[in-house]
Amino acid sequence: IAMSKEKLIETLKTSFYFLVVIIITFIFIKYICQRTDVIGTSMSPTLENGDCLIVDKITYKIREPERYEVIVFPYRDGSSRYYVKRIIGLPGETIQIIDGYVYIDGEKIDEPCLTETIKEAGSAVVPITLGEDEYFVMGDNRNNSLDSRSTEIGIVSREEIKGKILLIMWPFDRISFVQHGQK
């Protein structure tokens, strides 16, 4: 069956538009935003188990991560899963947990939204001085979080940080932009 010239042109146009949409989607996901899910309660009450998040991958191409921003970085097991944690310590700072509180360069930091003292200091029982591209991260649910205090996660390098959490997009009753800065 012979295709008319008009049908052929229309088919080529449609194919071209479809290809453009695929390319734009790929660029968007690769360089601008991505989706990830919260697994567990380590970021509660800020983020809950099962929250579906949108990650901003552009901001850290323009500037460096800042204290209290909620970031994502990959599991080190090669899977496609991501940890979601809050930045506490910045490059060059010395972090220590003393009597259940975080100290940076010898000064206790004020975290008014946290209601519990930290029960396990982990590796931060002694001072930890961060390198020029290293970050100390913790979950908001400090007593139920696998974070920089553990050897499994440890210090996070700048290179590992894939982006900062922009918003919760699911479930619908929790749709909101994620608060950064001092919670």
Side-chain angles (χ1 to χ4, degrees):
I1 300 175
M3 189 182 283
S4 71
K5 189 174 183 179
E6 294 82 26
K7 283 252 190 221
L8 179 61
I9 290 172
E10 192 59 37
T11 301
L12 288 173
K13 278 178 162 178
T14 302
S15 297
F16 176 75
Y17 293 138
F18 185 68
L19 181 62
V20 168
V21 167
I22 289 173
I23 290 170
I24 290 171
T25 302
F26 172 77
I27 290 170
F28 188 81
I29 291 170
K30 178 87 173 155
Y31 299 104
I32 299 172
C33 286
Q34 77 179 47
R35 186 191 73 77
T36 195
D37 297 315
V38 175
I39 302 169
T41 60
S42 72
M43 283 301 294
S44 181
T46 306
L47 302 171
E48 298 295 339
N49 185 43
D51 283 353
C52 180
L53 311 171
I54 296 294
V55 178
D56 162 13
K57 295 169 74 173
I58 293 286
T59 297
Y60 296 150
K61 294 189 185 322
I62 299 167
R63 67 164 177 81
E64 293 302 311
E66 297 175 358
R67 187 178 337 277
Y68 301 121
E69 289 182 328
V70 182
I71 62 163
V72 297
F73 56 97
Y75 276 46
R76 295 181 175 131
D77 64 3
S79 71
S80 61
R81 297 181 302 168
Y82 288 88
Y83 288 109
V84 179
K85 303 292 176 192
R86 189 175 298 277
I87 294 174
I88 301 299
L90 301 172
E93 294 180 332
T94 299
I95 312 300
Q96 187 173 11
I97 297 174
I98 303 169
D99 296 328
Y101 296 97
V102 177
Y103 286 75
I104 296 176
D105 295 332
E107 298 287 322
K108 181 179 168 186
I109 62 171
D110 182 32
E111 297 184 279
C113 292
L114 296 181
T115 58
E116 296 182 314
T117 57
I118 299 168
K119 293 177 184 167
E120 280 295 322
S123 63
V125 71
V126 297
I128 298 170
T129 300
L130 301 173
E132 65 182 41
D133 72 338
E134 295 180 330
Y135 294 82
F136 192 91
V137 300
M138 297 179 82
D140 288 355
N141 185 357
R142 300 287 161 84
N143 291 317
N144 189 24
S145 176
L146 187 63
D147 50 39
S148 288
R149 296 172 287 171
S150 77
T151 55
E152 188 174 327
I153 292 182
I155 304 307
V156 178
S157 73
R158 173 66 178 87
E159 181 180 277
E160 290 177 282
I161 299 172
K162 298 305 176 195
K164 82 181 216 179
I165 301 301
L166 183 61
L167 64 90
I168 301 169
M169 66 178 233
W170 179 264
F172 288 124
D173 63 338
R174 291 186 40 79
I175 292 176
S176 62
F177 286 96
V178 172
Q179 296 301 308
H180 297 277
Q182 196 156 18
K183 307 177 290 157

